[in-house]
């Protein structure tokens, strides 16, 4: 069974600085997807970034980038130039690829609450 | 982007009554929908996988007679909490998997906060 672990329950960062959220996972699959979701106080889940395991290049989306280390099963999220609107709970998630009976079920980590301070 | 709508966003009910929560995919067909439960400051726990036209698949420990799921069409799944008790109070979130999506991206509803008095 797959598991996702986020070992940082809470973190804080000063506005405009950089912060890294950690995530490790365990799987015997060779191909899969990894995601970071953001859940602000509104509780709406927002996709931040995704990574396909067969791609060696780390995904980036504007101020958000990941450090994907497949052998170490590590998938950290770096937020650059932090903004007050980045304050939210962040979840790392794992998904097997769809097809061949896989339904696209997401397995979430415990979450990290990030506070961006002015 | 794709939109998933949940209704109601908030519901308060008396203990012993049943409550229905709807999850609709507004601009795409969803062959599979997922129902999650989330307690305050905790992660999303998958309750069940809802497949159009067939019975839902429940996760271990989730009472299927308590949490009835129906996926009658490609755009609608419903979760009914039967004989609700205060311990059922929680935030319920649905997500939908788009038919034909290559990378299995999921789209989330806004969530429904259930309070059982």
């Amino acid at each position: 069974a797959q598991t996702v672990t986020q070992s940082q329950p809470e973190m804080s960062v000063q506005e405009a600085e950089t912060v890294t959220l950690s995530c490790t996972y365990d799987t015997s699959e060779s191909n899969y997807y990894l995601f970071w979701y953001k859940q602000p106080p509104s509780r709406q889940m927002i996709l931040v970034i995704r990574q396909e395991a067969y791609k060696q290049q780390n995904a980036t989306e504007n101020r958000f980038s990941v450090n994907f280390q497949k052998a170490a099963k590590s998938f950290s999220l770096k937020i650059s130039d932090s903004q007050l609107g980045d304050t939210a709970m962040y979840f790392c998630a794992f998904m097997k690829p769809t097809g061949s009976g896989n339904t696209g079920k997401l397995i979430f980590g415990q979450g990290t609450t990030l506070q961006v301070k002015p | 982007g794709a939109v998933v709508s949940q209704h109601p966003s908030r519901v308060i009910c008396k203990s012993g009554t049943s409550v229905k929560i709807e999850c609709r995919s507004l601009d795409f067909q969803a062959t599979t929908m997922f129902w999650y439960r989330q307690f305050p400051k905790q992660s999303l726990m998958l309750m069940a996988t809802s497949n159009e036209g067939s019975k839902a698949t429940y996760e271990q420990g989730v009472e299927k007679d308590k949490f009835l799921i129906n996926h009658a069409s490609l755009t609608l799944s419903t979760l009914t909490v039967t004989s609700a008790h205060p311990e059922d109070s929680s935030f319920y979130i649905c997500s939908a998997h788009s038919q034909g999506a290559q990378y299995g991206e999921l789209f989330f509803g806004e969530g429904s906060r259930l309070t059982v008095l």
Side-chain angles (χ1 to χ4, degrees):
Chain A
Q2 290 79 24
T3 59
V4 179
T5 302
Q6 293 177 250
S7 59
Q8 304 154 313
E10 296 181 349
M11 293 191 74
S12 64
V13 63
Q14 290 296 130
E15 197 175 5
E17 294 189 346
T18 296
V19 64
T20 299
L21 308 183
S22 65
C23 172
T24 58
Y25 59 94
D26 189 26
T27 184
S28 58
E29 302 285 336
S30 59
N31 193 23
Y32 46 87
Y33 302 107
L34 295 166
F35 303 84
W36 278 97
Y37 280 92
K38 168 185 177 180
Q39 188 181 41
S42 67
R43 308 291 292 270
Q44 174 72 56
M45 295 291 284
I46 301 168
L47 177 64
V48 175
I49 200 166
R50 64 173 164 261
Q51 175 81 42
E52 293 156 57
Y54 64 87
K55 291 186 176 179
Q56 292 185 341
Q57 187 173 6
N58 288 324
T60 62
E61 286 288 341
N62 301 313
R63 298 183 295 107
F64 300 88
S65 61
V66 298
N67 182 4
F68 173 49
Q69 301 290 329
K70 191 172 184 180
K73 296 180 182 175
S74 170
F75 184 61
S76 61
L77 174 69
K78 185 171 82 171
I79 305 175
S80 304
D81 185 25
S82 297
Q83 300 176 0
L84 295 178
D86 295 334
T87 293
M89 197 162 187
Y90 287 81
F91 293 99
C92 178
F94 172 99
M95 181 196 289
K96 285 194 225 178
T98 53
S100 302
N102 293 322
T103 59
K105 181 169 66 175
L106 273 174
I107 298 168
F108 288 95
Q110 302 91 327
T112 297
T113 299
L114 176 67
Q115 178 75 42
V116 180
K117 298 180 178 179
Chain B
V3 177
V4 174
S5 176
Q6 262 183 261
H7 179 79
S9 57
R10 293 176 183 268
V11 57
I12 301 173
C13 70
K14 292 183 179 180
S15 186
T17 61
S18 295
V19 173
K20 181 184 286 187
I21 300 170
E22 294 186 346
C23 178
R24 292 181 185 274
S25 55
L26 299 184
D27 52 359
F28 66 99
Q29 293 185 326
T31 51
T32 305
M33 291 184 173
F34 301 90
W35 286 96
Y36 294 86
R37 182 174 182 176
Q38 185 181 31
F39 291 106
K41 297 188 179 182
Q42 293 189 24
S43 188
L44 282 73
M45 301 301 297
L46 180 66
M47 298 175 66
T49 302
S50 170
N51 296 297
E52 186 268 336
S54 63
K55 290 184 178 180
T57 303
Y58 290 83
E59 295 298 303
Q60 192 171 9
V62 177
E63 300 175 61
K64 59 182 179 182
D65 294 331
K66 173 78 169 173
F67 300 99
L68 300 179
I69 292 172
N70 182 272
H71 194 152
S73 76
L74 284 172
T75 60
L76 174 65
S77 176
T78 60
L79 167 67
T80 301
V81 182
T82 63
S83 187
H85 291 285
E87 57 265 31
D88 298 325
S89 297
S90 189
F91 192 68
Y92 293 88
I93 305 175
C94 73
S95 66
H97 170 62
S98 176
Q99 186 178 27
Q102 294 181 357
Y103 47 75
E105 184 176 0
L106 293 177
F107 304 97
F108 285 85
E110 314 94 321
S112 300
R113 181 179 301 282
L114 170 64
T115 302
V116 184
L117 302 177

